[in-house]
Amino acid sequence: MNYLDSLYWIHERTKFGIKPGVKRMEWMLERLNNPQFNINGIHVGGTNGKGSTVAYLRSALVDNGYEVGTFTSPFIETFNERISLNGVPISDDEIVELVQRVKPVSELLEVETDLGTATEFEIITTMMFLYFGELHPVDFVVIEAGLGIKNDSTNVFKPILSILTSIGLDHTDILGDTYADIARDKGAIVKPETPVIYAVKNEDALHIIRELVEQQSADGIEFERDISIISEDEEFTYRYKDYELETLMLNMLGEHQKENAALAITALIELNEAGIVDLDFNKMIDGIESVTWTGRIEQVKESPLMIVDGAHNNESIEALIETIRNYYHRDKLDVLFAATKGKPITSMVDQLKEITDTFYVTDFDFHKALDKQTIFDEIKVDDKVLVDDCVRFIENYEGEGLLITGSLYFISEVKAKVTF
């Protein structure tokens, strides 16, 4: 198989949909000699903020001289970035090698068990564990969970530390439609006698996470109880235990990014105190402050202003609007919107209306993309326009400012096809 053949085989797995549960993962990994148990892994879960938290950890550790693997989803610019080494996507040849190892095992899974066919995400996760657990061992692997935690494909290793960035009402068709339901699922990130750092704000969800921490005898570290930040315009001060870091300033925009950075800093301090890392704090701060994360409130053009952001639920839309107002000082922008199935479209758009001049609706080439006419008919916006060709629309846009949002998968499509 060549690289394109390998990608085609992986992407063909999407037709098998989402299948919650880890039994297929465990079966395949056992046949590969359980490479997931060979890593020093940090597990990062949550509704929003996972990707940037992973990036903060990776950058700080790399700047301290460690070799760091990361696993993230979805990809924005190239498929290979989902499995990255020191922030650089693994090579095409390595993808081919991994597929050649994993494909026969997945085929055996279908023949020898009644567990069904492995999904795309299960295949990629297995490839990641095999890469970092056997083919290219590293000092640390920072692993972003996919959907929830309890039945997520990543929930098959023993982390040295876990981070729960947030709990919001997303993927309610699978995880449950209340904060408590989702907390019970994502709370599976709490492991026995393992440090877990969490930024859960909903009271029902927070109560459940605290109970799980106690039941598992975990070392629970809570944002706003144990960790605090004092925001001063673009800068902020971080406080935890006897640590105080002043005048921190991120490249990543938004108050929510300060919280994500605080979680990463706390994780690094805990690892340093445990003797797992030898941390130079100046290098840690430099690494965290330098992080950029494509597709997250990213300005891709100055004139006219164009911003892309993969906001895909109510909480991330709220953070996006706050950032547009506080950092770009814009009250109104045109919005180009596309989304995937199962999202709270009406409430997302109701929030976006606050900063919208004209609301443009489109769709994109993805198996879970929601048809643009469905979105158009569902939303209640006075000035709304259907866009058939989003690439041509963006490239010919001549307005005062355009915000492109609604889905990280949509942003990936835009970044791949549009020359800004």
Side-chain angles (χ1 to χ4, degrees):
M1 297 177 76
N2 60 29
Y3 177 68
L4 291 179
D5 291 334
S6 299
L7 280 192
Y8 176 78
W9 179 76
I10 293 168
H11 292 322
E12 192 183 27
R13 310 294 96 192
T14 59
K15 68 186 180 185
F16 300 107
I18 297 170
K19 300 177 183 177
V22 297
K23 288 185 178 180
R24 285 175 299 278
M25 285 294 302
E26 291 172 340
W27 193 93
M28 290 190 293
L29 288 167
E30 186 177 350
R31 268 89 193 144
L32 293 165
N33 297 316
N34 287 315
Q36 76 277 19
F37 296 141
N38 299 335
I39 65 170
N40 286 322
I42 300 170
H43 207 186
V44 181
T47 303
N48 297 303
K50 298 189 295 290
S52 52
T53 302
V54 169
Y56 291 132
L57 287 166
R58 182 259 305 156
S59 184
L61 287 168
V62 168
D63 276 21
N64 269 275
Y66 293 102
E67 194 169 41
V68 182
T70 53
F71 180 64
T72 57
S73 60
F75 71 91
I76 301 297
E77 293 178 336
T78 172
F79 174 84
N80 300 27
E81 75 192 46
R82 299 188 71 167
I83 305 172
S84 291
L85 178 63
N86 295 335
V88 179
I90 65 173
S91 70
D92 293 355
D93 287 344
E94 288 171 315
I95 291 289
V96 172
E97 182 180 3
L98 289 167
V99 168
Q100 287 173 339
R101 291 283 302 276
V102 172
K103 185 173 182 285
V105 175
S106 74
E107 290 171 346
L108 278 177
L109 172 74
E110 297 178 48
V111 174
E112 296 185 4
T113 79
D114 58 0
L115 297 173
T117 305
T119 67
E120 180 187 40
F121 191 74
E122 289 170 340
I123 293 294
I124 300 166
T125 309
T126 302
M127 290 167 57
M128 177 271 297
F129 282 125
L130 181 61
Y131 185 76
F132 293 122
E134 181 183 320
L135 300 185
H136 194 118
V138 293
D139 296 311
F140 300 100
V141 187
V142 189
I143 297 171
E144 177 187 344
L147 200 162
I149 297 290
K150 183 179 179 181
N151 294 303
D152 186 67
S153 302
T154 63
N155 195 33
V156 291
F157 74 106
K158 298 173 181 177
I160 57 173
L161 181 144
S162 301
I163 299 175
L164 184 58
T165 58
S166 63
I167 288 178
L169 296 177
D170 198 6
H171 299 296
T172 53
D173 54 328
I174 296 172
L175 303 181
D177 57 8
T178 69
Y179 283 98
D181 289 337
I182 294 173
R184 290 185 189 98
D185 186 289
K186 293 185 187 289
I189 203 167
V190 181
K191 297 297 192 295
E193 300 178 354
T194 302
V196 57
I197 303 160
Y198 51 97
V200 177
K201 296 178 179 177
N202 175 270
E203 285 298 322
D204 291 340
L206 183 56
H207 177 72
I208 288 167
I209 299 301
R210 285 173 174 169
E211 280 191 337
L212 289 168
V213 166
E214 184 176 353
Q215 290 167 9
Q216 299 278 26
S217 299
D219 182 11
I221 304 163
E222 187 175 307
F223 186 78
E224 292 184 341
R225 182 191 68 188
D226 306 308
I227 311 162
S228 65
I229 60 173
I230 302 169
S231 190
E232 302 148 359
D233 296 323
E234 294 183 5
E235 297 180 344
F236 70 102
T237 297
Y238 164 91
R239 289 177 181 163
Y240 172 61
K241 293 181 176 176
D242 294 328
Y243 299 91
E244 182 171 278
L245 307 176
E246 297 181 309
T247 62
L248 302 177
M249 192 163 91
L250 307 173
N251 269 328
M252 301 276 281
L253 299 180
E255 292 300 307
H256 59 298
Q257 291 298 348
K258 297 174 184 178
E259 295 185 10
N260 295 335
L263 299 179
I265 292 169
T266 306
L268 292 162
I269 288 173
E270 285 296 306
L271 294 174
N272 188 67
E273 288 192 345
I276 297 172
V277 300
D278 184 10
L279 204 62
D280 181 319
F281 274 65
N282 289 325
K283 291 178 180 177
M284 174 189 74
I285 292 168
D286 288 345
I288 285 175
E289 288 185 331
S290 68
V291 166
T292 58
W293 196 235
T294 188
R296 276 75 169 184
I297 312 184
E298 179 187 2
Q299 183 178 327
V300 291
K301 194 171 182 181
E302 186 173 353
S303 183
L305 174 67
M306 285 192 190
I307 298 166
V308 298
D309 184 72
H312 55 281
N313 53 42
N314 288 320
E315 290 84 2
S316 54
I317 291 287
E318 183 180 352
L320 170 60
I321 293 169
E322 180 185 47
T323 305
I324 294 296
R325 285 173 168 162
N326 292 344
Y327 289 83
Y328 288 96
H329 306 291
R330 299 290 291 265
D331 290 325
K332 294 289 182 180
L333 288 167
D334 292 329
V335 172
L336 178 64
F337 183 86
T340 56
K341 297 171 183 175
K343 296 296 181 177
I345 301 300
T346 301
S347 55
M348 289 168 67
V349 172
D350 282 346
Q351 289 189 79
L352 283 169
K353 283 193 298 187
E354 300 174 17
I355 60 164
T356 301
D357 273 330
T358 302
F359 200 92
Y360 296 94
V361 180
T362 191
D363 48 23
F364 58 107
D365 184 19
F366 182 57
H367 68 285
K368 292 194 293 185
L370 192 58
D371 178 71
K372 61 181 178 290
Q373 188 67 53
T374 301
I375 300 173
F376 188 86
D377 293 341
E378 184 174 329
I379 61 175
K380 295 179 174 60
V381 180
D382 292 334
D383 193 0
K384 58 182 179 178
V385 179
L386 274 173
V387 172
D388 291 325
D389 187 336
C390 65
V391 173
R392 182 178 296 176
F393 172 81
I394 293 167
E395 291 180 340
N396 294 320
Y397 178 78
E398 295 180 345
E400 295 296 317
L402 181 65
L403 170 63
I404 304 165
T405 192
S407 165
L408 276 167
Y409 294 100
F410 176 43
I411 299 306
S412 177
E413 176 98 352
V414 167
K415 296 270 288 186
K417 294 185 176 180
V418 177
T419 303
F420 290 103

PDB file of all heavy atoms in Angstrom, residues 7 18 22 41 104 161 182 337 352 378 398:
ATOM      1  N   LEU A   7      -4.490   6.113   3.291  1.00  0.00           N
ATOM      2  CA  LEU A   7      -5.499   7.099   3.701  1.00  0.00           C
ATOM      3  C   LEU A   7      -6.890   6.658   3.280  1.00  0.00           C
ATOM      4  O   LEU A   7      -7.856   6.813   4.048  1.00  0.00           O
ATOM      5  CB  LEU A   7      -5.194   8.471   3.098  1.00  0.00           C
ATOM      6  CG  LEU A   7      -4.139   9.336   3.767  1.00  0.00           C
ATOM      7  CD1 LEU A   7      -4.201  10.753   3.211  1.00  0.00           C
ATOM      8  CD2 LEU A   7      -4.298   9.365   5.272  1.00  0.00           C
ATOM      9  N   ILE A  18     -19.916   5.744  14.474  1.00  0.00           N
ATOM     10  CA  ILE A  18     -19.379   5.829  15.833  1.00  0.00           C
ATOM     11  C   ILE A  18     -19.908   4.643  16.630  1.00  0.00           C
ATOM     12  O   ILE A  18     -21.112   4.400  16.674  1.00  0.00           O
ATOM     13  CB  ILE A  18     -19.797   7.154  16.501  1.00  0.00           C
ATOM     14  CG1 ILE A  18     -19.211   8.346  15.744  1.00  0.00           C
ATOM     15  CG2 ILE A  18     -19.368   7.191  17.966  1.00  0.00           C
ATOM     16  CD1 ILE A  18     -19.760   9.672  16.195  1.00  0.00           C
ATOM     17  N   VAL A  22     -14.723   0.160  24.273  1.00  0.00           N
ATOM     18  CA  VAL A  22     -13.275  -0.022  24.108  1.00  0.00           C
ATOM     19  C   VAL A  22     -12.886  -1.476  23.839  1.00  0.00           C
ATOM     20  O   VAL A  22     -11.697  -1.785  23.744  1.00  0.00           O
ATOM     21  CB  VAL A  22     -12.512   0.504  25.357  1.00  0.00           C
ATOM     22  CG1 VAL A  22     -12.721   2.000  25.525  1.00  0.00           C
ATOM     23  CG2 VAL A  22     -12.922  -0.259  26.612  1.00  0.00           C
ATOM     24  N   GLY A  41       1.866   8.676  29.418  1.00  0.00           N
ATOM     25  CA  GLY A  41       0.783   9.406  28.761  1.00  0.00           C
ATOM     26  C   GLY A  41       0.048  10.358  29.669  1.00  0.00           C
ATOM     27  O   GLY A  41      -0.203  10.068  30.837  1.00  0.00           O
ATOM     28  N   PRO A 104      -4.027  -5.756   9.108  1.00  0.00           N
ATOM     29  CA  PRO A 104      -4.282  -7.193   9.299  1.00  0.00           C
ATOM     30  C   PRO A 104      -4.949  -7.509  10.638  1.00  0.00           C
ATOM     31  O   PRO A 104      -5.788  -8.420  10.712  1.00  0.00           O
ATOM     32  CB  PRO A 104      -2.876  -7.811   9.234  1.00  0.00           C
ATOM     33  CG  PRO A 104      -2.034  -6.813   8.513  1.00  0.00           C
ATOM     34  CD  PRO A 104      -2.585  -5.475   8.883  1.00  0.00           C
ATOM     35  N   LEU A 161      -1.063  11.445  34.480  1.00  0.00           N
ATOM     36  CA  LEU A 161      -1.828  12.613  34.930  1.00  0.00           C
ATOM     37  C   LEU A 161      -2.949  12.831  33.934  1.00  0.00           C
ATOM     38  O   LEU A 161      -2.791  12.536  32.746  1.00  0.00           O
ATOM     39  CB  LEU A 161      -0.908  13.839  35.007  1.00  0.00           C
ATOM     40  CG  LEU A 161      -1.510  15.174  35.474  1.00  0.00           C
ATOM     41  CD1 LEU A 161      -0.486  15.955  36.308  1.00  0.00           C
ATOM     42  CD2 LEU A 161      -1.925  16.030  34.265  1.00  0.00           C
ATOM     43  N   ILE A 182     -23.279  13.855  31.264  1.00  0.00           N
ATOM     44  CA  ILE A 182     -22.001  14.037  30.580  1.00  0.00           C
ATOM     45  C   ILE A 182     -20.852  13.955  31.578  1.00  0.00           C
ATOM     46  O   ILE A 182     -19.787  13.396  31.272  1.00  0.00           O
ATOM     47  CB  ILE A 182     -22.005  15.368  29.794  1.00  0.00           C
ATOM     48  CG1 ILE A 182     -23.044  15.281  28.666  1.00  0.00           C
ATOM     49  CG2 ILE A 182     -20.625  15.684  29.236  1.00  0.00           C
ATOM     50  CD1 ILE A 182     -23.285  16.565  27.921  1.00  0.00           C
ATOM     51  N   PHE A 337     -21.392  30.294   8.012  1.00  0.00           N
ATOM     52  CA  PHE A 337     -21.646  29.242   8.997  1.00  0.00           C
ATOM     53  C   PHE A 337     -21.946  27.917   8.318  1.00  0.00           C
ATOM     54  O   PHE A 337     -22.715  27.838   7.360  1.00  0.00           O
ATOM     55  CB  PHE A 337     -22.842  29.658   9.862  1.00  0.00           C
ATOM     56  CG  PHE A 337     -23.181  28.708  10.983  1.00  0.00           C
ATOM     57  CD1 PHE A 337     -22.551  28.809  12.215  1.00  0.00           C
ATOM     58  CD2 PHE A 337     -24.149  27.718  10.809  1.00  0.00           C
ATOM     59  CE1 PHE A 337     -22.873  27.947  13.257  1.00  0.00           C
ATOM     60  CE2 PHE A 337     -24.473  26.852  11.838  1.00  0.00           C
ATOM     61  CZ  PHE A 337     -23.830  26.969  13.069  1.00  0.00           C
ATOM     62  N   LEU A 352     -24.776  33.895  17.889  1.00  0.00           N
ATOM     63  CA  LEU A 352     -24.015  34.570  16.841  1.00  0.00           C
ATOM     64  C   LEU A 352     -24.738  35.796  16.291  1.00  0.00           C
ATOM     65  O   LEU A 352     -24.092  36.735  15.805  1.00  0.00           O
ATOM     66  CB  LEU A 352     -23.711  33.594  15.699  1.00  0.00           C
ATOM     67  CG  LEU A 352     -22.580  32.592  15.953  1.00  0.00           C
ATOM     68  CD1 LEU A 352     -22.568  31.520  14.876  1.00  0.00           C
ATOM     69  CD2 LEU A 352     -21.232  33.297  16.016  1.00  0.00           C
ATOM     70  N   GLU A 378     -34.017  26.217   9.501  1.00  0.00           N
ATOM     71  CA  GLU A 378     -34.186  26.092  10.942  1.00  0.00           C
ATOM     72  C   GLU A 378     -33.923  27.382  11.699  1.00  0.00           C
ATOM     73  O   GLU A 378     -34.569  27.658  12.711  1.00  0.00           O
ATOM     74  CB  GLU A 378     -33.239  24.996  11.461  1.00  0.00           C
ATOM     75  CG  GLU A 378     -33.392  24.709  12.953  1.00  0.00           C
ATOM     76  CD  GLU A 378     -32.550  23.537  13.392  1.00  0.00           C
ATOM     77  OE1 GLU A 378     -32.334  22.617  12.587  1.00  0.00           O
ATOM     78  OE2 GLU A 378     -32.107  23.534  14.558  1.00  0.00           O
ATOM     79  N   GLU A 398     -15.780  40.901  -0.281  1.00  0.00           N
ATOM     80  CA  GLU A 398     -15.308  42.285  -0.273  1.00  0.00           C
ATOM     81  C   GLU A 398     -15.977  43.114   0.813  1.00  0.00           C
ATOM     82  O   GLU A 398     -15.993  44.343   0.751  1.00  0.00           O
ATOM     83  CB  GLU A 398     -15.555  42.935  -1.642  1.00  0.00           C
ATOM     84  CG  GLU A 398     -14.750  42.295  -2.772  1.00  0.00           C
ATOM     85  CD  GLU A 398     -15.001  42.945  -4.123  1.00  0.00           C
ATOM     86  OE1 GLU A 398     -16.005  43.693  -4.238  1.00  0.00           O
ATOM     87  OE2 GLU A 398     -14.202  42.712  -5.047  1.00  0.00           O
TER      88      GLU A 398
END
